[in-house]
Amino acid sequence: MTTPRPETLAKLTPVLTKRWLSPDAWRIGTYEQLDGYAALRKALKAHPDDLIQLIKDSGLRGRGGAGFPTGLKWGFIPQGDGKPHYLVVNADEGEPGTCKDLPLMTHDPHALVEGVIIASYAIRAARAYIYIRGEAVHAARRLRNAVQEAYDKGYLGRNILRSGYDLELVVHSGAGAYICGEETALLDSLEGFRGQPRLRPPFPATHGLYASPTVVNNVGTIASVPPIVLGGADWWKSMGTEKSSGPMIYSLSGRVANPGQYECSMGVTLRELLELAGGMQPGHNLRFWTPGGSSTPLLAAEHLDVPLDFEGVAAAGSILGTTATQIFSDQDCPVYATYRWLEFYHHESCGKCTPCREGNYWMVRVYRRILAGQGTHEDLDTLLDTCDNILGRSFCGLGDGATSSVTSSLQYFKQDYLDYIEGRTAPKLSDKQLVGAH
Ligand SMILES: Cc1cc2nc3c(=O)[nH]c(=O)nc-3n(C[C@H](O)[C@H](O)[C@H](O)COP(=O)(O)O)c2cc1C
Ligand code: SF4
């Protein structure tokens, strides 16, 4: 295991993670001792429009995967329209490899609750929801407890801190479907319908929850709001890069010595993150990795020095996504890894549109054939052709994301496919697992 050098340790910028190791970090008493609810007191004295401007000035971009500018999104909410406004926090965190929102809600739930109150005040919402995935029982329990503590202390409910502002906050557990992380499917699910994406336009900013103006933001986005209110836009922008400001929680998993969450200024490289995480596991050499979850195209060892911000990763041909870096070594097979991800997308496809529903079904079968040693050279063309018919033709991002590892693994690791097809690699799947593959 390698020890990080002081200059690499200096890349750590704990802002959202700074309380995680404090004893009983999730309790309101601890939170209040460590700056908690100070940002709310400050925010309630400001005009809501000034708060929206502050978030615009900070350059904060959504932490849910797409990196949309948060202040701009808040500014889309029509004011004086006479309709109820809603804030909905997306706490579904279903992207494979992603592990930043659940630890945040488990260790520091009040950071999210305080962010919700400030953001709701800014967009003039009197009701907010946190939509958390059903399996995350422990995090939901912590969150519900934090919400109750906030009500008891007068941070939620009627006339918050005697400001005249009212807010009700509801924690809603979903049933555990990846598609319910897609913001419009999430809204349908919250309304009690089957979670399937909605046709856009109209967008949630005007026709969201109950056809009313709604902001949907990721947990990390909303938890970034209190530190920005306290520290100011310039302080936030002193971290990160010009167009990707602030710190980001990178979750490292796989063949790494110390997997976990590392909060660094945006633009840190995988080389630096690996150093912080003690290097690769003994006997393993980096071969491929995802920069932002399984929906983002794979990168290879040659990309160790790519700046992990929105622009840097895009220039390298991938997507920053959820900063879920999954690390694979020379002992892992990119064909098999892609197959397992495809099984996930096939299982989670909501079935609403044909390219994703049928395309993933067929690609899983082609992979089974290849991995059972019965693939043909033509199968590789079939895979690329199928991806071509899914990407950009699907109703939502799930279909597009499913193609990422297929096309990128064929780009960087075509030889691995050929080794199965031409008999140089022993089959990984047996004939029994081949049902329906022809
Ligand atoms: C299939 C799919 C799953 C998604 N899952 C999540 C999720 O679990 N959490 C999340 O915040 N965003 C998820 N998103 C992105 C959301 O649709 C949306 O962009 C995000 O919640 C907006 O918040 P932000 O602007 O704060 O990033 C998903 C998108 C797709 C297409
Ligand atoms: S792309 Fe997949 S998940 Fe999205 S609407 Fe179509 S079938 Fe459903």
Side-chain angles (χ1 to χ4, degrees), residues 179 196-197 348-357 360 394-400:
I179 191 58
Q196 284 193 316
E348 295 294 329
S349 168
C350 81
K352 181 163 180 157
C353 68
T354 310
C356 168
R357 186 187 62 236
N360 283 313
S394 295
F395 195 79
C396 85
L398 190 149
D400 293 346

Side-chain angles (χ1 to χ4, degrees), residues 172-358:
H172 178 94
S173 289
Y178 175 55
I179 191 58
C180 289
E182 195 283 333
E183 59 182 15
T184 59
L186 185 156
L187 294 176
D188 261 20
S189 168
L190 197 52
E191 287 182 12
F193 299 107
R194 177 178 174 177
Q196 284 193 316
R198 296 177 179 175
L199 185 67
R200 281 167 291 185
F203 291 95
T206 53
H207 294 74
L209 191 64
Y210 307 120
S212 295
T214 303
V215 163
V216 183
N217 269 143
N218 171 258
V219 169
T221 315
I222 293 298
S224 300
V225 171
I228 294 174
V229 169
L230 277 185
D234 288 342
W235 165 75
W236 185 261
K237 283 195 294 191
S238 70
M239 293 169 279
T241 54
E242 195 192 339
K243 291 184 181 161
S244 303
S245 64
M248 185 78 159
I249 302 175
Y250 295 85
S251 41
L252 268 69
S253 63
R255 305 289 197 180
V256 62
N258 294 316
Q261 292 77 30
Y262 294 84
E263 189 177 11
C264 295
S265 286
M266 287 242 237
V268 68
T269 64
L270 183 67
R271 190 186 295 282
E272 291 162 336
L273 284 172
L274 280 177
E275 193 179 325
L276 290 169
M280 297 289 289
Q281 285 173 3
H284 290 268
N285 295 306
L286 176 69
R287 183 142 190 250
F288 61 100
W289 54 291
T290 67
S294 61
S295 302
T296 62
L298 297 177
L299 293 178
E302 71 206 60
H303 298 111
L304 265 172
D305 294 311
V306 167
L308 297 179
D309 60 7
F310 291 106
E311 293 70 35
V313 180
S318 189
I319 307 168
L320 186 66
T322 57
T323 54
T325 45
Q326 302 169 92
I327 316 290
F328 296 84
S329 79
D330 46 5
Q331 295 178 38
D332 301 312
C333 171
V335 184
Y336 190 71
T338 301
Y339 160 64
R340 294 303 305 268
W341 282 318
L342 266 187
E343 282 209 320
F344 169 82
Y345 289 107
H346 166 233
H347 182 262
E348 295 294 329
S349 168
C350 81
K352 181 163 180 157
C353 68
T354 310
C356 168
R357 186 187 62 236
E358 301 300 323

Side-chain angles (χ1 to χ4, degrees), residues 30-53:
T30 317
Y31 188 68
E32 285 175 325
Q33 277 168 21
L34 301 170
D35 295 342
Y37 291 105
L40 176 63
R41 289 176 200 280
K42 189 172 170 188
L44 289 175
K45 290 186 187 127
H47 192 279
D49 287 343
D50 293 339
L51 288 172
I52 295 179
Q53 190 57 47

